[in-house]
Amino acid sequence: MFETSILTSVPAADAVDQAHARLEREGLAGIEAALAPFEGLTAAEVPGLTRLLACVVGLVTEGFRGDTRSPETYAAIASVPPALAALMFDLTLEGIFGEGPRDITALNEVGLLTLVGLLSSAGAHEQAAALLVQAREHGSSPGLARATWVARCRWAGCPYEVGAHLAPANLGFADLADVLARIDSAALDIAAHRARVRFALLATDIGAAAKAMGVALSLPLADGEKMDLVPEIALFAALLAATGELSALDAHRLRWALAAAPGVTTAAADLLARLVAEERIAFLDPAEADAALTQLRGIITPARLPAVTAYPMRGGRPHVDIVWLEITNHCNQKCTFCPDMFREDARTWLPLQQVKDLIDQLADTISVGSMQLNAYGEPLLHPNIAEILAYIRERELPFPTFFTSHGMTLVEKKLKQLSGNYPSGIAISLHNDSQESYEATRSHKIGDYETLVARVTALMRQMARERAPAHLRLYQMVSNGAVDLRVDELTRSAFPETPERMLRHVRKWEAVAARIAEEVGDETQVRAHANSQDAIYAAFLQASQGDRNHLPILSWVDGNGVVQYAFMSARPVSTYANLLLEYDPRWSVDHKLLSNYVCGFTDTPSLAIFATGRLGLCCMDLNSTATFGALSDFDNLHAALTSPQALRIFAQLSHGVAASRGCQICLGGAERHCASKNMPGPPRPVGHFRDGI
């Protein structure tokens, strides 16, 4: 470091010029040496000092603009002498606000970080912390979290390098890329996962640390094998408390992971308590330490029941957005676009009394959004379908019920069973638009395309005539690009591959609806609808798993005065066909335990009660492999949904840990060769997933 006496032998202007030259050569790294000669001096004593300090502020600002957590920028700003830092703070504040009101919310993040850093370097740690608290009332970010941590540590007089607070450990990884490569090749290597957590902590990246910790805790390993993570979890909780981010432990994904590994979480809480008692965590005040311990222990031993559960509790009941009650997994179709032909589970159905009991439990002890009476199976093949529908109607359930049929089961006997026993809605997997399309994708043993049209038409006519309190959805498969190109071309070409072909098919069904409206007459207020060409084209081009752009073709007013619709709904071929690649013996699919995707059915909690009696989250799980137990494992559904087994699968799937074959189909590493027509990018094999956080 230069001595300030240099100014006695070098003119002030020359000293300032030399400092500028150093800054130009060395950038941030030259700030300490460049400012050292001017420590204890003022702008009045050194002409040009203000311009030099402005240059330093510019370098700091650029450093934060490149990386809001930049260690180099923090080291440089910490090297500024306190008096000069205070002067730079005043100059910067004046430059930003002038004589106007000094509104912290008007600052961008880079400006705020610069001001806070200068305050801290000036020794005004409490003022810096207060400024950050005020700023974070309007939103947080990794950069602000880092600034809070640095300010807190400088205030406490302890190192703000996170590594200084971690127990020494040589995990054998050079950098994060090395760690990620190891995880990719050995997903269960807990040392690699621990290193990933450490690298995130060293960068004070709370989001990355939470994600890495959640994945590690969710691995299908015993708690004893994860105990090496304890020091990192303890420090993570302390860091959250110090930076005002303790609520991150309440984020349901991390909370699930911590609760699913109770032994590890308990050990982390015990370690944190010991470190606090031994006064080895200088950056935490007693209230913050208590808050961190209360939060961490509360995950394992909550102050009040229920404990952490996978399914959110509403009024003392576990909540499920959608229940798939697969009353039977029998199907008499063999569709080429559906993997059901490769089913390995035994064909069976749930006995009538068991179905009734499950319906009672769902109504009386579970909070339910809606219920479907099938997963892959054809519900109209259940030998007691009439009694099941009648019981649902009799119970007056507090949630709507639906089922999907392939349509060929709509014979006269089944229509009579449906009469007066309609669920809230019926969906028909119509899909085909011609005999050629039917022959390419369906079994010939139970009819042909005209038979399908006639039976679906009969149902639509009956629902309109009886003023059914239910809607009718006609699913139409389209080949708009969202399908793996390894699915055979005959299957892909069987469905409308152009908007024009979709238009012709919709017009055909609009004509069917018009005839029904004419036959039934005005007494039921039946009305036929015609869709614009633009609407039909949009339905084709935008068809996705989300099932939007419904095309109404017929409406009627039910007995309650509610308008009900029969409508067409376009779905992409990928809804089912990509799953073929898992089960079709012609293909070899790569399975991976870890994925960058997470299951959306953990955000919108779902429950699949399979005909086999097993319990899972997803209706697309053909052979019920992604399950957390069976009906016989629990006293009742409430116990199942609040069980550690359910919590474990939610923890895994919310962190992209696909421990089962069924989940690996959806989330895993199978290579996809997808068409890009009308698609923003290669689609995933089935619809309910989202990118990892």
Side-chain angles (χ1 to χ4, degrees):
M1 182 182 293
F2 287 128
E3 298 293 336
T4 54
S5 60
I6 191 174
L7 292 182
T8 61
S9 58
V10 177
D14 291 344
V16 170
D17 287 342
Q18 290 175 15
H20 273 292
R22 180 178 289 274
L23 292 177
E24 188 173 343
R25 288 194 313 272
E26 302 177 18
L28 287 170
I31 288 177
E32 182 177 11
L35 293 184
F38 308 101
E39 186 171 357
L41 300 176
T42 66
E45 296 173 289
V46 183
L49 181 59
T50 299
R51 185 168 57 89
L52 176 64
L53 296 181
C55 180
V56 172
V57 170
L59 287 173
V60 169
T61 300
E62 285 303 309
F64 280 132
R65 186 170 288 122
D67 179 3
T68 57
R69 300 191 303 267
S70 166
E72 294 79 15
T73 306
Y74 273 105
I77 207 169
S79 72
V80 177
L84 294 181
L87 179 58
M88 290 164 64
F89 175 82
D90 291 337
L91 291 171
T92 304
L93 205 60
E94 184 178 344
I96 294 173
F97 295 111
E99 298 299 322
R102 297 182 173 184
D103 180 8
I104 191 69
T105 63
L107 290 173
N108 63 24
E109 185 178 12
V110 168
L112 178 64
L113 293 175
T114 301
L115 285 173
V116 168
L118 290 170
L119 270 178
S120 191
S121 291
H125 304 298
E126 187 171 359
Q127 190 177 351
L131 186 62
L132 283 166
V133 168
Q134 183 182 353
R136 295 178 75 182
E137 289 177 355
H138 303 279
S140 187
S141 70
L144 292 179
R146 169 70 172 170
T148 304
W149 166 252
V150 172
R152 168 54 64 90
C153 287
R154 295 187 71 179
W155 190 1
C158 63
Y160 60 79
E161 293 79 11
V162 179
H165 302 278
L166 279 168
N170 181 12
L171 302 181
F173 297 97
D175 52 29
L176 183 59
D178 193 20
V179 170
L180 295 178
R182 175 58 181 171
I183 290 174
D184 187 56
S185 63
L188 293 177
D189 185 344
I190 201 68
H193 288 279
R194 183 186 181 194
R196 186 181 181 186
V197 173
R198 278 197 164 230
F199 276 114
L201 288 175
L202 291 173
T204 330
D205 190 336
I206 290 172
K211 179 179 178 181
M213 198 172 295
V215 172
L217 289 170
S218 301
L219 292 173
L221 297 170
D223 279 13
E225 298 176 86
K226 303 173 187 175
M227 282 296 176
D228 286 348
L229 294 165
V230 165
E232 285 71 28
I233 297 173
L235 179 62
F236 179 68
L239 188 152
L240 291 178
T243 58
E245 296 279 354
L246 203 51
S247 61
L249 286 180
D250 260 340
H252 60 273
R253 293 180 194 88
L254 183 55
R255 193 171 175 84
W256 286 334
L258 289 163
V264 183
T265 305
T266 298
D270 291 344
L271 174 60
L272 179 57
R274 188 167 66 253
L275 293 175
V276 169
E278 295 171 359
E279 298 183 347
R280 291 166 58 188
I281 304 184
F283 55 81
L284 277 188
D285 64 34
E288 290 167 339
D290 286 345
L293 283 168
T294 298
Q295 197 92 339
L296 203 55
R297 291 198 190 282
I299 293 172
I300 307 304
T301 53
R304 64 180 189 275
L305 295 175
V308 178
T309 59
Y311 292 92
M313 302 301 290
R314 294 188 181 178
R317 300 180 177 190
H319 174 75
V320 186
D321 276 11
I322 181 170
V323 174
W324 289 285
L325 178 55
E326 187 183 50
I327 57 178
T328 180
N329 60 16
H330 282 275
C331 186
N332 57 350
Q333 273 282 19
K334 299 298 177 188
C335 301
T336 61
F337 54 81
C338 176
D340 185 70
M341 69 183 81
F342 299 109
R343 180 180 290 278
E344 297 162 4
D345 282 346
R347 301 285 180 178
T348 187
W349 60 77
L350 295 174
L352 174 60
Q353 189 53 50
Q354 187 175 28
V355 173
K356 287 183 175 182
D357 178 60
L358 289 168
I359 290 171
D360 287 341
Q361 289 189 56
L362 291 167
D364 299 336
T365 67
I366 312 294
S367 168
V368 176
S370 65
M371 180 174 72
Q372 292 273 356
L373 291 179
N374 55 294
Y376 275 98
E378 169 58 50
L380 293 178
L381 291 180
H382 193 288
N384 302 110
I385 185 61
E387 293 92 333
I388 292 171
L389 293 173
Y391 190 69
I392 288 172
R393 188 173 181 81
E394 174 189 327
R395 273 296 320 243
E396 297 182 347
L397 298 177
F399 48 83
T401 58
F402 311 93
F403 71 76
T404 300
S405 167
H406 60 60
M408 293 300 287
T409 49
L410 293 168
V411 295
E412 185 176 353
K413 176 183 176 182
K414 295 300 179 183
L415 290 176
K416 288 180 179 178
Q417 291 175 340
L418 284 171
S419 179
N421 279 331
Y422 299 103
S424 306
I426 298 173
I428 304 296
S429 296
L430 184 65
H431 298 325
N432 303 114
D433 62 345
S434 66
Q435 179 60 26
E436 292 75 20
S437 172
Y438 186 96
E439 290 179 355
T441 60
R442 300 220 193 189
S443 170
H444 306 173
K445 294 180 180 179
I446 59 173
D448 54 22
Y449 175 68
E450 292 305 323
T451 301
L452 175 63
V453 172
R455 291 179 180 175
V456 175
T457 300
L459 173 62
M460 193 187 309
R461 182 187 297 110
Q462 176 175 295
M463 293 179 72
R465 179 172 285 133
E466 295 184 354
R467 303 174 66 185
H471 66 254
L472 177 63
R473 180 194 310 261
L474 305 182
Y475 280 131
Q476 173 58 54
M477 199 89 82
V478 297
S479 290
N480 66 351
V483 64
D484 194 303
L485 295 181
R486 289 176 292 181
V487 174
D488 66 272
E489 186 177 358
L490 183 62
T491 295
R492 288 187 280 115
S493 64
F495 309 110
E497 77 286 352
T498 64
E500 292 77 16
R501 183 173 165 187
M502 178 73 174
L503 175 68
R504 291 193 297 272
H505 195 211
V506 174
R507 294 289 185 239
K508 181 190 301 183
W509 279 96
E510 288 175 345
V512 169
R515 290 196 297 273
I516 291 173
E518 185 177 352
E519 293 171 13
V520 174
D522 294 334
E523 68 274 8
T524 57
Q525 296 177 267
V526 176
R527 178 187 170 196
H529 298 266
N531 298 273
S532 70
Q533 176 176 300
D534 287 348
I536 296 170
Y537 278 23
F540 172 85
L541 295 171
Q542 298 172 13
S544 69
Q545 316 296 345
D547 185 26
R548 53 185 175 174
N549 296 329
H550 297 163
L551 302 171
I553 58 174
L554 188 71
S555 65
W556 60 90
V557 178
D558 68 19
N560 300 313
V562 177
V563 178
Q564 301 286 355
Y565 287 90
F567 56 89
M568 300 190 72
S569 180
R571 303 291 297 275
V573 178
S574 62
T575 302
Y576 304 108
N578 284 340
L579 294 172
L580 288 171
L581 302 177
E582 164 65 21
Y583 295 104
D584 192 319
R586 292 176 295 176
W587 303 111
S588 175
V589 174
D590 179 31
H591 291 174
K592 283 198 171 183
L593 175 67
L594 299 183
S595 169
N596 289 325
Y597 296 92
V598 300
C599 176
F601 285 137
T602 58
D603 278 334
T604 53
S606 63
L607 171 66
I609 305 173
F610 294 105
T612 59
R614 291 198 285 271
L615 301 170
L617 272 63
C618 178
C619 65
M620 303 299 285
D621 184 16
L622 176 63
N623 289 303
S624 52
T625 63
T627 58
F628 57 89
L631 290 169
S632 58
D633 296 330
F634 306 98
D635 291 337
N636 49 55
L637 285 178
H638 189 286
L641 271 58
T642 56
S643 68
Q645 295 93 317
L647 179 64
R648 191 174 302 115
I649 196 170
F650 267 74
Q652 290 174 347
L653 294 179
S654 67
H655 288 95
V657 180
S660 70
R661 178 184 180 188
C663 294
Q664 289 171 0
I665 299 169
C666 184
L667 302 179
E671 183 184 4
R672 308 287 168 185
H673 299 284
C674 299
S676 59
K677 175 184 176 183
N678 304 316
M679 299 298 292
R684 304 293 297 174
V686 291
H688 213 85
F689 73 96
R690 64 177 189 76
D691 289 340
I693 55 173

